[in-house]
Amino acid sequence: MKIAIIGANGKSGTNLVNEALKQGYNVTAIVRNKEYKNKSVKVVYKDIFELTKTDLAGFDAVISAFAAWTPETFPLHKKVAAHLANLLEGSDIRLLLVSGAGTLFVDDRGTMVMDTPDFPAAYMGVAKATAESYFELKGRSDLLWTYVSPACDYDANGARTGKYVLGGDNLILNSKNESYISYPDLALAIIDELKNKKFIQKRFTAVSERA
């Protein structure tokens, strides 16, 4: 299976590349940073908004690990989701978008994580921005999208345990009642989804145990 990983030089992207290679996939890294080097994969240096349908033709799946963390760049989350969806609409190429946990539901009344009283104000901007990317994909039936919501505590320094528990639209907790997952374990869940195909035109989340 041929997969493209956009933002392969970031923290999420690096873990996705490593896991995909571990599972034997043919990986192309798409990055803007010309300093990125990886002899294990084909590298395409291109800005995400310069990608065309031709660039993505021939892949079985495209995984976006795009991230934007400043108020000036927050609107790019929705723009990226729309751009990639438009490039892949009507095709058999899967789009997996790794984004935020803010839209996960915490009750049966539709209350989202980012609407809860204890949600940190410092993360509200990025939560709202990533929510826009979810809403952009949620209403579309013209492509094979999958939206990935990490756990609330998405640990860049966490170890790969090789185990995780999947959920859908609702916030889930591990055995310690924590919404937690390490970067490597979420990468594992995402790459596993390529073959499992459980969440086409759906969203999923995952949790793991602290190592």
Side-chain angles (χ1 to χ4, degrees):
M1 183 183 290
K2 293 181 63 177
I3 64 173
I5 298 177
I6 298 171
N9 55 326
K11 292 178 181 178
S12 291
T14 297
N15 281 279
L16 285 163
V17 169
N18 291 342
E19 186 60 42
L21 291 174
K22 188 188 297 283
Q23 295 199 31
Y25 289 104
N26 182 329
V27 179
T28 295
I30 300 178
V31 299
R32 185 173 59 177
N33 185 352
K34 296 289 200 304
E35 296 180 3
Y36 175 80
K37 299 290 186 290
N38 189 332
K39 293 181 180 179
S40 299
V41 301
K42 178 183 177 182
V43 181
V44 173
Y45 298 101
K46 206 161 191 178
D47 184 275
I48 195 167
F49 295 111
E50 293 176 355
L51 292 172
T52 66
K53 288 179 182 284
T54 301
D55 291 323
L56 300 183
F59 289 107
D60 297 293
V62 175
I63 304 175
S64 173
F66 169 84
W69 300 104
T70 65
E72 295 76 23
T73 58
F74 284 160
L76 294 179
H77 284 278
K78 179 179 181 179
K79 189 177 177 183
V80 163
H83 178 61
L84 294 177
N86 290 338
L87 292 181
L88 299 179
E89 64 182 356
S91 76
D92 292 328
I93 305 169
R94 294 189 64 182
L95 171 63
L96 289 83
L97 194 80
V98 187
S99 200
T103 54
L104 290 168
F105 298 127
V106 297
D107 56 33
D108 56 8
R109 300 187 301 277
T111 305
M112 296 185 291
V113 169
M114 65 182 189
D115 294 331
T116 57
D118 295 332
F119 190 80
Y123 294 109
M124 186 59 76
V126 70
K128 288 183 176 180
T130 54
E132 289 299 319
S133 66
Y134 173 57
F135 298 141
E136 179 67 34
L137 293 184
K138 185 182 178 184
R140 299 192 62 152
S141 58
D142 57 348
L143 75 149
L144 304 178
W145 63 267
T146 299
Y147 186 90
V148 183
S149 287
C152 293
D153 187 353
Y154 186 28
D155 187 2
N157 299 313
R160 184 186 189 276
T161 69
K163 298 178 181 179
Y164 57 84
V165 176
L166 291 173
D169 290 322
N170 297 315
L171 183 76
I172 59 173
L173 306 175
N174 63 15
S175 66
K176 300 292 192 294
N177 289 320
E178 299 171 312
S179 174
Y180 171 87
I181 195 164
S182 67
Y183 273 59
D185 281 342
L186 186 67
L188 173 61
I190 292 167
I191 300 303
D192 281 352
E193 168 58 20
L194 293 177
K195 61 178 178 287
N196 294 334
K197 300 179 181 179
K198 292 181 179 179
F199 296 96
I200 294 176
Q201 293 184 345
K202 295 178 182 177
R203 177 250 296 273
F204 79 84
T205 186
V207 295
S208 63
E209 304 297 329
R210 294 184 188 272

